[in-house]
Amino acid sequence: ILGSVQKKLPLMALSTTMAESFKELDTESSLGRALEMGCCIQSSLAKILAEFEIALERDVLQPLNKLSEEELPIILKRKKTLQKLISDWNSIKSRLNQAAKSSSNSIGTGAGPGASSAANKLEVLKEEEEEVKRKVEQCKDEYMADLYHFSTKEDSYASYFIKLLEIQAQYHRQSLGSLDSALAELKESHSQTEPSLAADTPVAGYYGVPLETHLKSLGREIALPIEACVMILLASGMREEGLFRLAAGASVLRKLKSNLASGSGALEEFYSDPHAVAGALKSYLRELPQPLMTFELYDEWVKVASLKDVDSRVESLRDTCSRLPRESYNNLRYLIKFLAKLAEHQEVNKMTPSNIAIVLGPNLLWPQPSVGDPLQLDLASASSIQVVAVVEALIQNADTLFPGEVDFNVSGM
C-alpha cells in the first residue's frame, strides 16, 4: 500500500525527473551532486508523505467516517421517527378529545344506537392512543440510549482530532529532519567545491553560540538578541496581529539577524517590521546548541505537562524552574515575563498564551537527539503537545513562577 501511494505522489515524479537529469551530468559536478541529492530527498519526502496519508486514513478518517456514515445517521433517524410518533400521538389525542365530546353529547340526548356507536368509536380511539403512546415511550427510550451511548464515547471522538495533530506534527518533523540533514550534507559538499560562494553566508556571531559563552563574552545577563528583539517589540509590536505566527520576508530577516549577530546598533529601521523582529528572536532561540529550557530537564518538563491538578502543576513548574542553570533561568524569566505582557493584548493581537506556546514552544524546548537513532524525530513529535502545554502554563503563571517585575529598559545594548 505504501509503495502504491508513494508512486502516485507528485514528489515521486519530481524525484524521477531529477534522477533522469543527473544521469546526463558529470556526477562530480556541483549540479550533478545537487540533483542526485535532490532526487534522494524528494523520494524520502514522498515516503514520509505517503506514510502520513496512510496513517491519516487509518487512524483518523476511517473512524470519523464510521461516525458520520453509520452512527450519527442512526441517531438522527431515530430522532426523526420520534418526532413523527409524537406528531401522530398529538393527532390521535385531538381526535380522542373530539370523540369524547361527541360521545358525551350522544349520551346526553339519549339517542340509543348513536350513543352506542360513539362509545365504541371512543374505545377504539383510546386503544389506538395507548398503542401510539407506548410506541412514543419505546422510541424515546431508544433515542435516549443512543444519545447516552454517543456521549460515553465523546473522549474517544475527541482523541481522533488530537491524533490528527500528532500525525501532522510527526509528518512535519520527519520532513524537516530529512531536509535539514540533506541540506547540511549538500551545503558542506558544495562549500568544499565552491569556496567563493561561502562569503555570501552571513557570519552568525551570537547565533548558534552557547548561551553561557555569549553572556560571558559580553558581560551580560540577558542575551543581546533576546533583549534587543524584546525592546523593539515592546515599542512597536505588542498590538500586531499574529506576532510570532506570521512569517517575515526572508531578506529583511537575514539583514536583521546579521545586524544582531555582528553587534551592530543599527536597528531603528526594523521598528516598522515587528514580524521580522519576532522571526529573529525565534531563530536565536531555535539555533541555540541547547534549548533555553535545557536538555537535562526535558523529561521533567514533559512530566509536568501530564499533571491535571492546577496547584500541583504550578508547584512542579516552580521546582523545575529553580533547577535551571542561572543563565537559562534569567533569560527564560525575562522572555516569559515579556510573553505574558504580549498575551495581555490578545484581544488585539490574537496571541493567547496557547497561541504563543504553539509557535514558540518548540523553540524553547526539544529533546536531545540520540546519536544514530533515526526514530528520534518520531519520539519528539509525540511529546510536542506536552511542550506546548508547559510553555502555555509558564506564560499563564508568569507572575507566580517569576515573582517581581522585570526592568525592560535597555541595559548595555
Side-chain angles (χ1 to χ4, degrees):
I1 296 173
L2 178 62
S4 173
V5 173
Q6 189 174 341
K7 283 177 185 175
K8 294 176 184 175
L9 294 171
L11 286 170
M12 277 308 294
L14 180 58
S15 175
T16 304
T17 303
M18 286 179 164
E20 291 169 354
S21 300
F22 79 72
K23 286 176 186 174
E24 305 297 322
L25 296 166
D26 178 2
T27 53
E28 293 305 309
S29 68
S30 59
L31 181 55
R33 274 199 301 274
L35 276 170
E36 185 175 9
M37 177 64 79
C39 163
C40 294
I41 193 62
Q42 296 308 320
S43 175
S44 174
L45 290 174
K47 183 173 182 290
I48 294 168
L49 180 55
E51 288 171 347
F52 163 69
E53 290 188 355
I54 290 169
L56 186 65
E57 177 68 28
R58 181 189 64 231
D59 298 337
V60 179
L61 297 180
Q62 284 183 0
L64 287 178
N65 189 59
K66 185 173 184 292
L67 170 66
S68 65
E69 297 294 326
E70 296 176 23
E71 298 183 29
L72 284 178
I74 290 172
I75 295 174
L76 294 172
K77 185 178 179 183
R78 187 93 69 190
K79 180 183 178 183
K80 195 172 180 180
T81 303
L82 179 58
Q83 288 172 331
K84 173 71 167 60
L85 284 170
I86 291 172
S87 175
D88 292 346
W89 189 25
N90 287 332
S91 175
I92 201 167
K93 280 195 290 187
S94 176
R95 287 162 54 206
L96 184 61
N97 287 336
Q98 193 64 38
K101 287 179 185 177
S102 299
S103 176
S104 174
N105 291 338
S106 297
I107 293 169
T109 55
S116 174
S117 173
N120 288 339
K121 185 177 179 183
L122 188 61
E123 281 303 314
V124 170
L125 282 172
K126 279 182 180 177
E127 288 179 10
E128 283 185 28
E129 191 268 344
E130 285 292 328
E131 177 63 18
V132 174
K133 180 182 177 183
R134 186 189 63 77
K135 287 181 179 178
V136 167
E137 292 296 333
Q138 181 183 347
C139 188
K140 182 181 174 184
D141 289 344
E142 290 168 346
Y143 180 53
M144 291 305 295
D146 285 342
L147 289 179
Y148 177 73
H149 179 63
F150 178 80
S151 69
T152 59
K153 295 197 288 185
E154 180 185 355
D155 284 348
S156 64
Y157 294 140
S159 71
Y160 294 135
F161 294 97
I162 295 172
K163 186 68 177 174
L164 167 65
L165 298 183
E166 288 178 340
I167 293 171
Q168 286 177 318
Q170 179 177 346
Y171 160 66
H172 287 298
R173 285 183 182 277
Q174 284 184 298
S175 297
L176 183 59
S178 296
L179 284 165
D180 281 344
S181 174
L183 273 170
E185 185 179 338
L186 188 58
K187 282 180 177 178
E188 184 180 353
S189 167
H190 193 59
S191 64
Q192 288 170 358
T193 56
E194 302 286 344
S196 60
L197 295 178
D200 293 338
T201 307
V203 178
Y206 309 139
Y207 279 74
V209 176
L211 181 66
E212 298 81 356
T213 306
H214 166 67
L215 296 177
K216 192 173 180 181
S217 67
L218 296 182
R220 300 179 61 83
E221 274 199 0
I222 306 301
L224 188 142
I226 293 179
E227 186 172 350
C229 291
V230 165
M231 291 304 303
I232 296 173
L233 293 176
L234 279 169
S236 64
M238 303 300 276
R239 301 175 70 80
E240 190 71 26
E241 186 172 332
L243 196 69
F244 290 107
R245 184 168 56 80
L246 298 178
S251 59
V252 180
L253 182 58
R254 194 182 305 114
K255 184 177 179 183
L256 173 53
K257 285 177 66 177
S258 178
N259 283 16
L260 287 169
S262 61
S264 167
L267 303 176
E268 290 81 3
E269 64 182 287
F270 301 106
Y271 276 75
S272 60
D273 194 345
H275 293 292
V277 179
L281 178 53
K282 279 171 71 176
S283 287
Y284 175 74
L285 295 169
R286 185 171 58 247
E287 292 173 29
L288 284 170
Q290 175 170 229
L292 196 55
M293 293 167 71
T294 74
F295 289 134
E296 188 181 357
L297 295 175
Y298 178 84
D299 290 337
E300 291 187 39
W301 289 121
V302 170
K303 280 179 190 171
V304 173
S306 64
L307 297 175
K308 302 297 181 189
D309 180 68
V310 175
D311 292 338
S312 300
R313 178 183 281 204
V314 171
E315 192 56 42
S316 295
L317 283 171
R318 184 186 285 114
D319 180 53
T320 310
C321 284
S322 70
R323 280 189 268 170
L324 283 166
R326 185 177 60 84
E327 297 86 355
S328 298
Y329 177 88
N330 288 342
N331 280 268
L332 182 65
R333 177 177 184 268
Y334 184 89
L335 189 60
I336 293 297
K337 291 286 237 183
F338 161 69
L339 296 176
K341 277 183 175 293
L342 180 67
E344 289 175 7
H345 300 277
Q346 61 185 263
E347 291 296 326
V348 180
N349 61 34
K350 311 301 181 193
M351 295 307 289
T352 61
S354 173
N355 287 340
I356 296 170
I358 288 167
V359 291
L360 267 184
N363 300 307
L364 290 169
L365 181 63
W366 61 87
Q368 188 160 18
S370 302
V371 179
D373 182 6
L375 297 177
Q376 189 62 44
L377 284 169
D378 294 4
L379 297 174
S381 67
S383 60
S384 57
I385 292 174
Q386 285 99 318
V387 170
V388 171
V390 168
V391 174
E392 181 181 5
L394 287 174
I395 297 169
Q396 288 172 329
N397 298 282
D399 288 336
T400 305
L401 298 170
F402 305 108
E405 292 298 316
V406 168
D407 182 8
F408 285 111
N409 292 320
V410 183
S411 57
M413 281 174 54

